[in-house]
Amino acid sequence: QGHEVRLMSPEYVRPYVKAQKNDDRDAEAIAEAATRPTMRFVELKTAEQLDIQSLHRVRSRLVGARTTLTNQLRAILLERGTTIAQGRRKLEQAVEALLADPDFMAGRIRRLLAEMREEWLDLDRRIEALDREFVELARNDAGARRLTTIPGIGVLNATALVAAVGDGTTFARARDLGAWLGLVPRQHTTGGKPRLLGISKRGNKYLRTLLIHGARAALPSLARSQTLLGAWLRNLLDRRHRNTVVVALANKLARIAWVILRREAPFEAGRAMAAA
């Protein structure tokens, strides 16, 4: 019909609904909100971005199912007096050893454990297949390839970022991406007195989780590096709790990612602080 399609978050429309809610007032509120000069619209995603997001959601569901399965497996063994050390690899080795022992548990429960082990292996195969697909996607996408040059940004993080933000043009500044991901402190300012609280945890929970895990993995090596980013991290570690530093680094990585996407240039450690 020649119209320009725009998407808005429902929470931004709600203040414009007058009195009680009905369809007419909803339409009026949407029309009113859409005319506001400061309204924030959601970027329309391409078919490729939607496909990558769907793959990430399926992988997240499979990982959650695997975690649930391993927890249930531990509980069944614990009820029968078998305690296994933490860690997925240790549980895997222990279950294989127990099933190989002919004297361990006979009857239906033994068959149940064998079935659960097969289900676990099947989940592993499906997750690994998706991981290989993400590697191929990152190899064929220029933006994702550049993102993987950033320490703490792997194939999963890179493809998830490209699927969520595209080339980053939706955000006017790097700090806007960090705020959209919920990696900045919540504000409560009144009477000119600013008060900063914990991180807001707004936006994409899955992407925020990936960035924090990536930051936690990259923190030791980056903190030892003789760069401006390394000096910044060492200074933070002296003053703040390690978990706080991890979140701060995740925010920094998100802002660096925005710069990499917008400037179409690979990561350079020497310019990381200036760019972000």
Side-chain angles (χ1 to χ4, degrees), residues 141-216:
D141 186 272
R145 259 199 327 271
R146 286 192 294 270
L147 289 177
T148 55
T149 63
I150 305 173
I153 302 290
V155 169
L156 282 180
N157 307 51
T159 52
L161 275 167
V162 169
V165 304
D167 58 2
T169 53
T170 305
F171 305 97
R173 298 168 297 180
R175 68 179 65 182
D176 293 342
L177 176 57
W180 179 75
L181 290 170
L183 290 169
V184 299
R186 289 185 294 119
Q187 295 186 42
H188 184 80
T189 301
T190 181
K193 297 180 180 179
R195 182 186 177 194
L196 297 181
L197 308 172
I199 61 171
S200 65
K201 296 185 180 179
R202 301 180 67 185
N204 193 320
K205 178 181 178 180
Y206 175 74
L207 188 52
R208 181 172 61 252
T209 301
L210 288 180
L211 286 170
I212 289 177
H213 286 330
R216 183 174 287 110

Side-chain angles (χ1 to χ4, degrees), residues 12-155:
Y12 296 148
V13 177
R14 178 60 189 165
Y16 297 96
V17 178
K18 299 182 180 68
Q20 301 181 45
K21 178 188 181 303
N22 58 42
D23 291 343
D24 291 341
R25 285 172 181 160
D26 280 346
E28 180 187 8
I30 292 170
E32 177 68 21
T35 62
R36 297 298 89 195
T38 58
M39 179 54 62
R40 301 174 185 174
F41 295 99
V42 180
E43 180 187 14
L44 298 177
K45 291 180 172 56
T46 64
E48 291 76 13
Q49 286 177 287
L50 292 174
D51 291 345
I52 296 174
Q53 280 195 332
S54 297
L55 290 175
H56 274 282
R57 287 167 182 157
V58 170
R59 185 187 182 277
S60 179
R61 177 179 60 80
L62 293 176
V63 170
R66 184 175 63 182
T67 302
T68 301
L69 179 64
T70 54
N71 288 342
Q72 189 175 50
L73 195 55
R74 283 183 182 276
I76 291 173
L77 293 173
L78 184 61
E79 287 175 342
R80 286 152 181 81
T82 303
T83 304
I84 300 172
Q86 290 185 353
R88 189 162 58 90
R89 181 57 182 164
K90 291 181 180 179
L91 176 61
E92 183 179 1
Q93 293 172 341
V95 170
E96 289 177 351
L98 291 173
L99 291 175
D101 183 3
D103 298 328
F104 174 76
M105 202 179 300
R108 182 67 183 96
I109 296 301
R110 182 183 179 87
R111 295 198 304 274
L112 177 65
L113 291 176
E115 291 169 2
M116 294 176 71
R117 177 62 183 139
E118 284 301 317
E119 184 181 355
W120 184 359
L121 291 172
D122 181 59
L123 287 171
D124 280 345
R125 285 190 290 268
R126 295 172 66 184
I127 292 170
E128 288 169 4
L130 285 171
D131 287 343
R132 289 193 296 271
E133 198 166 349
F134 286 130
V135 170
E136 191 63 26
L137 286 170
R139 185 179 292 121
N140 295 328
D141 186 272
R145 259 199 327 271
R146 286 192 294 270
L147 289 177
T148 55
T149 63
I150 305 173
I153 302 290
V155 169

